[in-house]
Amino acid sequence: MAEIRVASSAGFCFGVRRAVDLAVQALVDFGNPVYTLGPIIHNPQEVNRLREKGLLMAESLIEIESGTVVIRSHGAPRGIIETAARRGLGVVDATCPLVKRLEEKVRELGETGLQVIIVGESDHPEVKAALSYAAGRCLVWRGPEDIDPGQMEPSVGIVAQTTQSLENLQLVVSGCVPFCREVHVFNTVCEATRKRVAEALALAREVDLMIVVGGKNSGNTKRLAEAVRRTGTPTCHIESSRELREVSIPKGASVGVTAGASTPSWVIQDVVAVLESV
Ligand code: F3S
């Protein structure tokens, strides 16, 4: 049998846990219909489980005629909460407090006249929401490879999507310094993410194989798997235990398990149970 070691930080972060709990509580407190704007978390298994409990999903407010709207942990573009309330919908704001801090920072920086640069993925809902708080021209760069001095103003304020790595933020900052008169940096990287990655890397260096569990649509899980893979330890990113059938686990191998912030504990436990039976 393989030796299985599970990272203690694997699974839901406090922001995701809080959002899921608030959504479930909204079903109890307000009754149907309760909607989330977009999937409550980037994990299809958990989204299905919550749908069975009655949690509905809409892509925009236009689709919702009545009931309650839950703003997920990624936040929502500025004005959405006000619009929902004006239309008589109930609103439960489950935006993670750390995402709120990023949105506030983007707003403040814009108001002081700095050009805002967000280090992150422009198509991620958290970044789309944060962008809506920028007063002026705002840039989104994935990393140092996107730095374009032609687009930059002399004074910039730099923040990061909460689930970015600190290293990526640092690389963008040092790449910008030569082209600016003023660079204001705010570390908006989430500590839970930083800890999760550090622990996964340490574990990867001690085992023969790493399994990263989480939605294939989850940005933080994908980045976690990429970081783990870069250690050189063979790494598999799976969504559920069913995919373990395709993973070859040598007899007596040590296997490390970690999971993204949006992976529920029951999915992780299921993976561990199957691994233990190998
Ligand atoms: Fe919040 Fe960090 Fe989770 S920003 S949603 S606690 S990954």
Side-chain angles (χ1 to χ4, degrees):
M1 195 180 85
E3 181 204 356
I4 320 293
R5 292 175 58 188
V6 184
S8 62
S9 57
F12 277 3
C13 59
F14 84 90
V16 167
R17 157 66 44 219
R18 177 175 168 272
V20 170
D21 287 350
L22 285 170
V24 171
Q25 194 57 42
L27 285 166
V28 176
D29 292 346
F30 308 117
N32 290 328
V34 176
Y35 294 86
T36 59
L37 278 183
I40 177 93
I41 55 173
H42 286 155
N43 184 276
Q45 290 77 18
E46 183 70 356
V47 168
N48 285 343
R49 188 185 73 88
L50 293 170
R51 189 181 299 126
E52 280 161 20
K53 282 182 177 278
L55 187 64
L56 304 172
M57 189 187 85
E59 288 301 338
S60 78
L61 284 182
I62 301 165
E63 297 166 38
I64 306 174
E65 281 180 13
S66 62
T68 303
V69 183
V70 178
I71 307 296
R72 57 190 174 170
S73 58
H74 297 318
R78 196 174 195 169
I80 288 280
I81 292 177
E82 293 75 8
T83 307
R86 234 187 355 262
R87 288 200 28 217
L89 301 172
V91 178
V92 174
D93 186 359
T95 307
C96 172
L98 299 182
V99 173
K100 274 246 189 276
R101 190 183 63 166
L102 167 66
E103 293 172 348
E104 274 306 298
K105 206 34 97 183
V106 169
R107 188 184 57 73
E108 272 171 46
L109 289 170
E111 283 174 4
T112 54
L114 294 167
Q115 180 186 35
V116 181
I117 297 171
I118 302 178
V119 180
E121 295 151 16
S122 57
D123 57 350
H124 192 281
E126 175 190 325
V127 174
K128 285 185 183 168
L131 267 175
S132 70
Y133 286 80
R137 211 159 63 85
C138 184
L139 302 171
V140 181
W141 287 339
R142 272 165 308 168
E145 68 280 10
D146 284 352
I147 293 175
D148 177 0
Q151 289 190 299
M152 291 167 73
E153 292 173 12
S155 301
V156 300
I158 305 179
V159 292
Q161 182 182 349
T162 55
T163 49
Q164 288 287 307
S165 71
L166 204 52
E167 293 69 30
N168 199 32
L169 171 62
Q170 285 169 322
L171 287 171
V172 172
V173 170
S174 51
C176 286
V177 168
F179 305 106
C180 298
R181 205 174 48 226
E182 267 182 68
V183 179
H184 298 251
V185 184
F186 292 91
N187 178 3
T188 49
V189 171
C190 158
E191 179 60 16
T193 302
R194 198 198 59 71
K195 235 179 103 186
R196 175 193 316 277
V197 174
E199 198 191 355
L201 297 184
L203 181 57
R205 292 189 185 102
E206 293 171 5
V207 295
D208 302 313
L209 172 71
M210 279 297 286
I211 306 284
V212 180
V213 190
K216 298 277 165 73
N217 59 346
S218 157
N220 84 81
T221 309
K222 281 193 279 185
R223 275 193 298 281
L224 180 65
E226 280 159 20
V228 170
R229 202 167 279 126
R230 281 197 293 273
T231 63
T233 303
T235 301
C236 302
H237 174 184
I238 60 169
E239 244 177 43
S240 72
S241 62
R242 266 187 304 175
E243 288 166 69
L244 282 174
R245 283 189 226 130
E246 285 138 45
V247 180
S248 113
I249 303 173
K251 215 171 165 28
S254 53
V255 182
V257 178
T258 188
S262 47
T263 312
S265 57
W266 62 269
V267 173
I268 303 170
Q269 281 159 12
D270 189 39
V271 166
V272 171
V274 172
L275 282 171
E276 281 172 348
S277 68
V278 169

